[in-house]
Amino acid sequence: MTEALLTDLYELTMMCAYLDNGKAETASFELFTRVLPERRNYLVYAGLQDVVDYLENFSFSKDDIDYLNSLNLFPDWFLDFLKEFRFTGNLYSMDEGTPFFPHEPVLRVEAPIYEAQLFETAILNMTHISTLIASKAARVYSVSRGKVLSDFSLRRTHGKDAGIKVARSTYIAGFSSTSNVLAGKLYGIPVVGTVAHSFIMSFETEEEAFRAYLKTFPDRSILLVDTYDTVKGIEKAIEVALELKEKGYTLRGIRLDSGNILELSKLARKMLDKNGFKETKIIVSGGLDEYKVDELLSSGAPIDIFGIGTKVGTSSDSPYVDFVYKLVELGGKPVMKTSSGKRMYPGKKQVYRFESFDRVTVWDEKSGGRPLLKPIFLNGNRTGRLPSLNEVREQFLSEFEMLDKRVKNIYEKYVYPVEISDGLRKLYNSTYKEIEEQEWK
């Protein structure tokens, strides 16, 4: 199955109308957000790999054409045109893993307008989920104090594709592993896991369940201790761990999934240390997000690993990013929308990053700082290889380390300085004036 029909119908009808009316000027569309979600001081750009794969392999299959024909909507000449249609334009993009802010284009497509228009919906879809989740995961990473974070969200994500993208996006934003086996296969992300309460409950006693699991996996010995009485569960885990030690294995960890995690983790640490299991890790899961992780660590919880699920996998406190894909130039002429409350800047743009602020400029305007938008496709051809997932992760870690601490504060709103250059302001004013004069004619 191709992804060519992963679009809204109006993208195809507009494409047909453009062609029917001889409109083939080169258009530039930029992807950006005008405002950040209420609970966010930044976003983390992700999803570029999906966009690149989509554009590079784009084509309409015979089945796609047959389906479009069955709609009795499109003329034969248009369907014939689609049979040979491929991406022929340019793509500029920030690196995946880059934090960004309002009015900063993270991606630009340059192509004949009928072509650039067609890709709008799919590009928004692919970048939205990945950016949304990477941004939420980054907030958890920002308060994790070097503790290990793992994605446990698959069973609660919004569908199969989301589950895969969540694992990739959280890994980019500082998580170390995932429970999602398919994501591990596809992306090379380390996979982890313990047991469910049902496994413990399937045996007559808790000790029997612990021994059964350790019999099969003595070198992956992580025990879930809160199916019944958690304190007794820890005691039984230690008892079984002492037996395991005699066989030359060490209890790698215990997992807490309910109750007063702060007090139970402290008690577990004392009990484990007292019995010679100082190297045994304490893993917690269940309803965790950046606020809970920060609360636990600020209170001195001796937790080594956090299994983060639903609240990050669904970005529960902020479930969408208001991404837009807007036409900014047509036939070499800057254009913009002037609707109330939907401010945008015309023309092709570049974003420059300085030590403590960003600057958005006209594309060819001279500026200091580090340019963030780079060519990915030119004339339909890749300019080079994309970074590996681990390189993208390192990109995020490096960029995130340099961000002002106030930006990373999960409790207080801070507006990161984004300058609009003199050249871009002038272009905005002249374009606005020209639109007004045209409208009054």
Side-chain angles (χ1 to χ4, degrees), residues 80-110:
D80 288 339
F81 178 84
L82 294 184
K83 292 175 183 178
E84 305 300 324
F85 180 79
R86 302 291 185 274
F87 176 57
T88 65
N90 303 332
L91 174 70
Y92 292 83
S93 177
M94 289 185 182
D95 290 328
E96 278 199 274
T98 301
F100 69 96
F101 306 94
H103 293 291
E104 296 184 345
V106 297
L107 173 156
R108 183 171 68 251
V109 174
E110 302 172 357

Side-chain angles (χ1 to χ4, degrees), residues 1-13 15 54-55 57-71 73-74 78-79 81-83 85-86 117-123 125-126:
M1 182 182 296
T2 72
E3 295 182 321
L5 297 186
L6 182 65
T7 190
D8 291 309
L9 180 62
Y10 83 159
E11 309 289 13
L12 286 162
T13 56
M15 184 184 188
Y54 165 77
L55 293 176
N57 298 298
F58 190 92
S59 67
F60 289 89
S61 70
K62 183 180 182 302
D63 283 346
D64 295 335
I65 301 297
D66 288 344
Y67 171 73
L68 293 177
N69 186 48
S70 74
L71 299 178
L73 178 62
F74 298 105
F78 179 64
L79 298 177
F81 178 84
L82 294 184
K83 292 175 183 178
F85 180 79
R86 302 291 185 274
Q117 182 75 67
L118 176 62
F119 301 127
E120 174 185 16
T121 299
I123 288 176
N125 176 276
M126 292 172 184

